[in-house]
Amino acid sequence: MEFVRVLYASKATSIHPDVKNDLIEILNSAVDFNSRNEITGVLYYGHGYFVQCLEGRQSKVDDLFYNQILKDQRHQNCEILYYEKCDIGLFKHWNMKFAPVNKRLGDFFLENHRDDFNPFLLSSETIPSFIDLLAGEYDVEPYNFDVNE
């Protein structure tokens, strides 16, 4: 049984007042699905971009990504940035952790990519530290977030 970690980025199809409701819906379904399938991870949203890191059994993660995430109409340009086999889960305490882009993530992008937050700018050199940064973030209550960042 192989375990994998995948990091992907996408762009929201539209930024509208209901994006908060979309995020709540995404998180509720992710927590339910992930807990039943032993998948863990973290989702960040900001400046119209999603970035998500998922961990779990390869067959479950691949099925989730290719059969659900890629088909979700709330985002576009979905691209895998990083895919690796792993032994240790960095997100094992969260079926799905969420946080909006915050100062630490913004600073990371300004230092490494000269942009506030654009996950498509991540490179093979910066992805490992970015994943470590995601794993070190604290839980944020999914109903108390500012999607305007």
Side-chain angles (χ1 to χ4, degrees), residues 81 113 119-128:
L81 304 175
H113 301 291
F120 289 104
L121 297 176
L122 289 166
S123 66
S124 58
E125 292 81 33
T126 59
I127 285 174

Side-chain angles (χ1 to χ4, degrees), residues 92-115:
K92 59 187 172 194
H93 300 294
W94 307 294
N95 291 111
M96 186 48 54
K97 178 174 81 164
F98 171 81
V101 173
N102 57 42
K103 182 167 175 23
R104 288 180 64 201
L105 289 174
D107 288 349
F108 176 88
F109 275 88
L110 286 173
E111 290 170 18
N112 291 286
H113 301 291
R114 297 182 185 21
D115 197 351

Side-chain angles (χ1 to χ4, degrees), residues 41-69:
V42 60
L43 171 69
Y44 277 79
Y45 174 83
H47 304 287
Y49 294 102
F50 293 101
V51 63
Q52 185 172 32
C53 191
L54 297 168
E55 297 173 333
R57 286 190 188 114
Q58 183 175 13
S59 61
K60 299 285 187 178
V61 171
D62 288 354
D63 181 59
L64 172 62
F65 184 78
Y66 291 106
N67 294 315
Q68 291 184 41
I69 292 172

